[in-house]
């Protein structure tokens, strides 16, 4: 019985390692976009990734079955929800008024929606279900965030002041 359990544990570990090797890079990039950290120093994004992967591993047996949830979807959800919880308490990229990263001017909700919609390619319905908003709210937040991201380029072209 112990040998069988050990063999199952080894197989589970190999499966998860293969999953993590394939998904970690994309998930880390999403975490970096969310946190606004510079690409060469990403402790917060790495912590988000490690937490998401460890929580995914804890549920691996349930996820890896034929009728289970997609492991990537689970890890992405864990990453986004952990970021949202942390951002509700503090957001270092906006605390001192300095922009952090490409999406640094945006609030946490706007960053989450843009990363899910534009980087991850999720539909409005999927994004809404993942973060607990209505589809209309996701549409509005996304449009507002895109408009905010386009604003500086409009100012530069027209020569208008701040």
């Amino acid at each position: 019985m112990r040998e069988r359990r050990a063999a199952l544990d080894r197989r589970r570990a190999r499966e998860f390692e293969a999953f993590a090797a394939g998904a970690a890079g994309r998930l880390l990039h999403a975490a970096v976009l969310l946190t606004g950290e510079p690409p060469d120093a990403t402790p917060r994004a790495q912590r988000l990734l490690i937490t998401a992967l460890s929580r995914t591993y804890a549920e691996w047996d349930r996820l890896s079955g034929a009728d289970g949830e997609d492991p990537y979807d689970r890890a992405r959800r864990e990453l986004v929800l952990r970021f949202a919880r942390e951002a509700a308490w503090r957001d270092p990229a906006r605390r001192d008024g300095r922009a952090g990263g490409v999406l640094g001017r945006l609030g946490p909700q706007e960053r989450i929606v843009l990363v899910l919609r534009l980087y991850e390619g999720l539909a409005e319905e999927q994004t809404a279900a993942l973060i607990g908003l209505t589809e209309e709210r996701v549409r509005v937040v996304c449009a507002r965030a895109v408009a905010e991201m386009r604003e500086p380029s409009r100012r530069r072209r027209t020569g208008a002041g701040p």
Side-chain angles (χ1 to χ4, degrees):
M1 185 66 161
R2 283 187 195 166
E3 296 85 26
R4 182 174 177 208
R5 181 66 185 162
L8 287 173
D9 288 343
R10 283 192 301 274
R11 187 191 65 157
R12 178 181 193 236
R14 279 193 311 270
E15 288 174 355
F16 182 76
E17 286 172 8
F19 161 74
R26 186 169 177 89
L27 289 168
L28 179 61
H29 189 71
V32 169
L33 289 172
L34 289 170
T35 61
E37 295 174 312
D40 57 338
T42 59
R44 190 171 168 216
Q46 289 177 6
R47 189 175 63 250
L48 287 170
L49 175 64
I50 289 168
T51 302
L53 289 176
S54 64
R55 293 185 57 104
T56 302
Y57 183 68
E59 299 290 326
W60 191 254
D61 290 335
R62 219 183 49 163
L63 299 173
S64 60
D67 59 339
E69 181 182 2
D70 179 33
Y72 186 83
D73 289 344
R74 174 60 180 246
R76 178 178 50 217
R77 184 176 74 226
E78 290 292 339
L79 183 83
V80 167
L81 295 177
R82 178 65 57 154
F83 170 76
R85 269 185 244 122
E86 286 183 7
W89 293 104
R90 63 173 171 74
D91 190 6
R94 293 179 57 91
R95 180 177 45 216
D96 58 5
R98 289 180 301 152
V102 176
L103 307 178
R105 292 188 320 249
L106 303 177
Q109 186 180 65
E110 293 167 324
R111 278 190 257 164
I112 289 170
V113 168
L114 277 189
V115 168
L116 291 175
R117 291 279 294 125
L118 302 181
Y119 178 71
E120 288 288 323
L122 292 183
E124 288 174 353
E125 307 85 47
Q126 292 172 299
T127 302
L130 181 69
I131 59 177
L133 297 175
T134 64
E135 289 177 40
E136 180 61 29
R137 180 71 180 147
V138 167
R139 198 172 301 119
V140 167
V141 169
C142 189
R144 185 177 61 215
V146 168
E148 174 67 26
M149 295 303 294
R150 287 181 178 160
E151 185 63 29
S153 61
R154 239 186 282 147
R155 279 192 204 142
R156 265 187 301 231
R157 270 186 273 136
T158 62

